[in-house]
Amino acid sequence: MEQGTIGKMFNYYFDPRFDDELMRASDEFFSEKSVNRVKQTEFQDEKDEEMFNEWFIFDFKLKNGKTPLENFYEINPYNYKMSRLQVYKDLQENFFDLYEVEKIMLGEGLILKSLQTNKVYQVREY
């Protein structure tokens, strides 16, 4: 994945036109009224920020019912060519679980087995 891929999404959503969505996300994530915590990036610690960012991109639902990742892919705000936009589509296909490493293939990827379902995945990194 090209460096800055996720950062481009954050730049798009951490913009004044999304202030209401960010405050709603912050209130939902932290289960409290957060006094501009997200907008000003005043997190308690780095782990809070990392967890919020991951949750926001993959799990938070915007008012239109889509995650920021789904929305970003569909509207393509930077008019990316399909080859670059494909990364955002691929990011939507995540399987969160605990995995056992079955095999390491140096320079190619991994074979993982889900501890919950026993399903086997081949993971590649380009």
Side-chain angles (χ1 to χ4, degrees), residues 5 69 73 76 80-93:
T5 297
L69 179 58
Y73 172 76
N76 191 9
Y80 290 148
K81 292 181 180 178
M82 196 54 175
S83 59
R84 185 166 184 193
L85 194 61
Q86 183 65 37
V87 172
Y88 297 98
K89 181 172 177 62
D90 292 345
L91 282 171
Q92 293 176 52
E93 298 175 12

Side-chain angles (χ1 to χ4, degrees), residues 50-65:
E50 290 171 1
M51 288 189 305
F52 174 82
N53 288 345
E54 185 173 320
W55 172 82
F56 177 75
I57 291 297
F58 293 103
D59 298 314
F60 176 69
K61 298 289 186 182
L62 299 167
K63 289 177 186 171
N64 66 12

Side-chain angles (χ1 to χ4, degrees), residues 103-111 122-126:
K103 184 177 180 183
I104 299 171
M105 300 167 297
L106 293 176
E108 294 179 40
L110 304 167
I111 303 288
Q122 182 172 353
V123 180
R124 303 179 119 198
E125 180 66 42
Y126 298 99

